[in-house]
Amino acid sequence: MKYFLSLLSVIFLGFSAHSRQNQNLEELSETESIKINQIGFYPGQPKMAVIPEDAGSDNFLVLEKETQKVAYTGSLSESRSVAYSDKKTRIADFSAFNEEGEYVVAIPGYGKSFPFKVEEGNFKELGKATIKAFYYQRVSTELPEEFAGNWARPAGHPDDKVRIHASAQSDQRPEGTIISAPFGWYDAGDYNKYIVNSGITVGTLLSLYEDFPDYFAAQNLNIPESGNDVPDLLDELMWNLRWMVNMQDPNDGGVYHKLTTADFEGMVMPHLATNQRYVVAKGTAATLDFAAVMAQASRVYQEFHPESAKTYLDAAEKAWKWAEENPDILYTQNELNKLHQPKINTGAYGDRSVADERIWAAAELYITTKNPAYLEEITAPKEGFQLPNWGNVSWVGYYSLLRHQDKLQAIPTALTQQIQSALMQQADDYITGMENTSHHTVMGQTEKDFNWGSNSNAANQGIALIQAYMLSSEKKYLEGAFSNLDYILGRNATGYSFVTGFGDKSPQYPHHRPSEAEPEKDPVPGFLVGGPNSGQQDKCNYPSNIPDESYVDETCSYASNEIAINWNAPMAYLVNALEAIHLD
């Protein structure tokens, strides 16, 4: 009898302890201090959360969101830090946990994370949203509720009465001549259209299609063209290509740098922004970017729109000829404003060198035409790998050469080997450096990562790693790319998921005129904001001067919280490529 009573006592005490533990876990508050991908993970994907060093525990738990039952337990890593921040962190690694469901990460006595899911197809909707975002940026058309939902709006900027600016005048098109250049996408938070930025944007998205055509054949974005015989991604890209074609002077092949108002419009909806618009100065960078995109578009659309494909290639070759005859006409807005009226004060997208644009254009023209004259213009990367951005596009061309190398018998083996070697060396450096970052991501290895549009650095680093994976089939590169997706979606020093409409803590006040003009609505979804920027050029009130924390979710912050098509394109590539590879 005494033994029986003792056994009951043990059972009771154990049950009580278990009950108290469950009660304690249920009482834990949600905290932004536990940084995690707020969308979640595939079952077989690396899974990590980042915990402040002072959380007061050496252990972590993964709890079922609804029941708060413990699904996994683990130990935190040793503390980590980076040179540019005094913050110390520890890593909760639960990569071994693969059971599908919705969970939180909890630190006993400290708090629990935002919820996340472990499931197949976890990033499918995010991938679609990052491409659908371009639909919301369409110019010269209304966005009906059927396709735009809560963000329906009237048409803005017909762009059928655009004036030739004094800087762009020619004998055939004198100053003040009216031309029509409708369609296209609004470039960023403003309402202007820029060839240079459209160039890398469309080039990145055409490359995404070339890498994963089968995936996009089945994707439905619910845009007006959905249901035809053309993948929705390509239908969306055509909206911008139609504008770009009209930015080429048909008389000589040169391409105008941008279509713009003299000054930025106010924070109003597009149809209320009615100031006169101009096409401004032809330039070599814009013309070569145009040539590259049109050459790539020609081969991609041959299957779907052969007549358009011919138009694109003719335009590309005409642009190349103009650039050959005008090799160094740089867009210098301040100098042009000394000579011409009205002064143009919108985004400059100026460039000091067009050597990278020449490589990109030559690469795309060679791949499409097989004309050896273009091959002669392609030089090997002299400075190793350089992360693509609008001002440095050579690696967009190098990616294309690697993508098509098996079909390019005439290309020197030494050239492709140099390109591949530079890429793989950078990819290895990215993977090695992850161990030295406070959030165990490729992003953030140096303070230089946190410049204007830093989130696009994270996305473009992910693209480089995906290219390395596709060349080598080594899983470590794919895991590195996933780490940067984790970074973008919340595993970062700010704790924000940087894509509008995705995550429990995402931007609510992006520098984006349609979102600001209708503050009663959620921001337009699917946009990647710029991200931490140690320059803080907008002089808004930032919560921190630490580089990886230099972000503020305020409309005033065009330096950290603006959206831009050239940032959304690599984000769209990263998430859709990872989804496509995972499904393969």
Side-chain angles (χ1 to χ4, degrees), residues 159-179:
D159 284 343
D160 55 352
K161 295 180 177 61
V162 179
R163 293 187 181 276
I164 299 290
H165 187 260
S167 64
Q169 65 184 332
S170 63
D171 291 342
Q172 295 88 352
R173 288 181 163 186
E175 178 185 358
T177 300
I178 301 295
I179 68 168

Side-chain angles (χ1 to χ4, degrees), residues 427-499:
D428 285 336
D429 289 346
Y430 281 152
I431 298 303
T432 302
M434 287 176 63
E435 298 298 327
N436 299 318
T437 59
S438 55
H439 290 71
H440 197 78
T441 56
V442 169
M443 178 65 177
Q445 294 181 18
T446 74
E447 183 176 348
K448 293 179 181 178
D449 278 350
F450 300 102
N451 56 4
W452 201 311
S454 66
N455 283 337
S456 70
N457 293 339
N460 274 305
Q461 289 167 357
I463 292 175
L465 288 160
I466 289 170
Q467 293 298 312
Y469 169 77
M470 293 173 71
L471 288 169
S472 68
S473 298
E474 291 193 38
K475 192 176 179 180
K476 64 179 181 180
Y477 301 123
L478 205 58
E479 292 179 350
F482 271 121
S483 82
N484 272 17
L485 183 61
D486 290 344
Y487 169 89
I488 289 169
L489 296 177
R491 201 172 91 207
N492 59 67
T494 73
Y496 273 91
S497 170
F498 287 120
V499 181

Side-chain angles (χ1 to χ4, degrees), residues 362-572:
E364 303 297 353
L365 278 160
Y366 173 64
I367 295 166
T368 300
T369 68
K370 308 301 189 293
N371 183 340
Y374 297 120
L375 179 56
E376 293 175 3
E377 299 290 331
I378 304 170
T379 57
K382 297 178 181 178
E383 299 179 9
F385 179 83
Q386 294 182 299
L387 202 65
N389 58 60
W390 66 261
N392 195 341
V393 293
S394 60
W395 271 91
V396 184
Y398 290 141
Y399 286 159
S400 286
L401 290 173
L402 293 177
R403 181 177 298 119
H404 293 278
Q405 61 181 311
D406 292 343
K407 303 174 185 176
L408 302 173
Q409 286 78 17
I411 189 169
T413 302
L415 175 60
T416 55
Q417 286 179 341
Q418 285 178 277
I419 296 170
Q420 186 165 327
S421 176
L423 172 62
M424 299 307 292
Q425 179 61 60
Q426 181 62 73
D428 285 336
D429 289 346
Y430 281 152
I431 298 303
T432 302
M434 287 176 63
E435 298 298 327
N436 299 318
T437 59
S438 55
H439 290 71
H440 197 78
T441 56
V442 169
M443 178 65 177
Q445 294 181 18
T446 74
E447 183 176 348
K448 293 179 181 178
D449 278 350
F450 300 102
N451 56 4
W452 201 311
S454 66
N455 283 337
S456 70
N457 293 339
N460 274 305
Q461 289 167 357
I463 292 175
L465 288 160
I466 289 170
Q467 293 298 312
Y469 169 77
M470 293 173 71
L471 288 169
S472 68
S473 298
E474 291 193 38
K475 192 176 179 180
K476 64 179 181 180
Y477 301 123
L478 205 58
E479 292 179 350
F482 271 121
S483 82
N484 272 17
L485 183 61
D486 290 344
Y487 169 89
I488 289 169
L489 296 177
R491 201 172 91 207
N492 59 67
T494 73
Y496 273 91
S497 170
F498 287 120
V499 181
T500 56
F502 286 83
D504 283 74
K505 183 184 179 184
S506 63
Q508 299 300 303
Y509 307 101
H511 186 87
H512 177 235
R513 278 160 176 76
S515 295
E516 171 65 8
E518 297 185 327
E520 72 280 4
K521 298 180 181 180
D522 290 334
V524 181
F527 285 113
L528 179 70
V529 298
N533 175 8
S534 59
Q536 302 185 5
Q537 292 89 345
D538 48 44
K539 309 302 181 185
C540 292
N541 185 23
Y542 284 73
S544 173
N545 290 322
I546 299 172
D548 62 355
E549 298 178 357
S550 292
Y551 169 78
V552 58
D553 182 20
E554 296 291 346
T555 303
C556 69
S557 185
Y558 55 82
S560 79
N561 208 34
E562 189 169 9
I563 65 95
I565 58 173
N566 65 305
W567 301 339
N568 245 66
M571 178 61 195

Side-chain angles (χ1 to χ4, degrees), residues 216-479:
F216 289 102
Q219 189 181 70
N220 187 322
L221 299 176
N222 187 34
I223 59 177
E225 299 82 4
S226 294
N228 63 13
D229 294 329
V230 180
D232 282 4
L233 171 60
L234 297 187
D235 277 325
E236 189 56 54
L237 289 172
M238 280 199 79
W239 193 267
N240 202 61
L241 288 165
R242 292 167 74 182
W243 165 67
M244 292 182 75
V245 165
N246 287 322
M247 289 292 284
Q248 185 176 44
D249 186 340
N251 299 292
D252 61 13
V255 178
Y256 302 110
H257 191 75
K258 58 180 174 175
L259 190 160
T260 181
T261 48
D263 295 289
F264 289 115
E265 296 273 16
M267 291 293 187
V268 298
M269 292 299 287
H271 66 286
L272 300 176
T274 57
N275 287 323
Q276 179 62 52
R277 287 155 78 86
Y278 303 87
V279 291
V280 179
K282 298 169 194 171
T284 309
T287 302
L288 288 170
D289 283 339
F290 175 95
V293 166
M294 292 297 155
Q296 188 177 18
S298 177
R299 64 177 181 266
V300 169
Y301 285 90
Q302 181 62 45
E303 175 185 354
F304 304 101
H305 294 289
E307 291 184 4
S308 294
K310 184 180 185 306
T311 297
Y312 297 152
L313 184 55
D314 289 345
E317 295 193 305
K318 195 170 185 178
W320 177 269
K321 185 174 183 297
W322 187 92
E324 289 283 271
E325 296 169 354
N326 302 273
D328 294 302
I329 297 182
L330 304 181
Y331 184 76
T332 54
Q333 189 157 284
N334 291 339
E335 295 303 312
L336 290 172
N337 281 342
K338 295 176 183 178
L339 302 173
H340 306 293
Q341 293 291 331
K343 293 181 178 180
I344 303 297
N345 298 309
T346 54
Y349 290 108
D351 208 340
R352 297 179 182 178
S353 169
V354 296
D356 55 306
E357 285 85 359
R358 191 175 304 280
I359 289 171
W360 182 25
E364 303 297 353
L365 278 160
Y366 173 64
I367 295 166
T368 300
T369 68
K370 308 301 189 293
N371 183 340
Y374 297 120
L375 179 56
E376 293 175 3
E377 299 290 331
I378 304 170
T379 57
K382 297 178 181 178
E383 299 179 9
F385 179 83
Q386 294 182 299
L387 202 65
N389 58 60
W390 66 261
N392 195 341
V393 293
S394 60
W395 271 91
V396 184
Y398 290 141
Y399 286 159
S400 286
L401 290 173
L402 293 177
R403 181 177 298 119
H404 293 278
Q405 61 181 311
D406 292 343
K407 303 174 185 176
L408 302 173
Q409 286 78 17
I411 189 169
T413 302
L415 175 60
T416 55
Q417 286 179 341
Q418 285 178 277
I419 296 170
Q420 186 165 327
S421 176
L423 172 62
M424 299 307 292
Q425 179 61 60
Q426 181 62 73
D428 285 336
D429 289 346
Y430 281 152
I431 298 303
T432 302
M434 287 176 63
E435 298 298 327
N436 299 318
T437 59
S438 55
H439 290 71
H440 197 78
T441 56
V442 169
M443 178 65 177
Q445 294 181 18
T446 74
E447 183 176 348
K448 293 179 181 178
D449 278 350
F450 300 102
N451 56 4
W452 201 311
S454 66
N455 283 337
S456 70
N457 293 339
N460 274 305
Q461 289 167 357
I463 292 175
L465 288 160
I466 289 170
Q467 293 298 312
Y469 169 77
M470 293 173 71
L471 288 169
S472 68
S473 298
E474 291 193 38
K475 192 176 179 180
K476 64 179 181 180
Y477 301 123
L478 205 58
E479 292 179 350

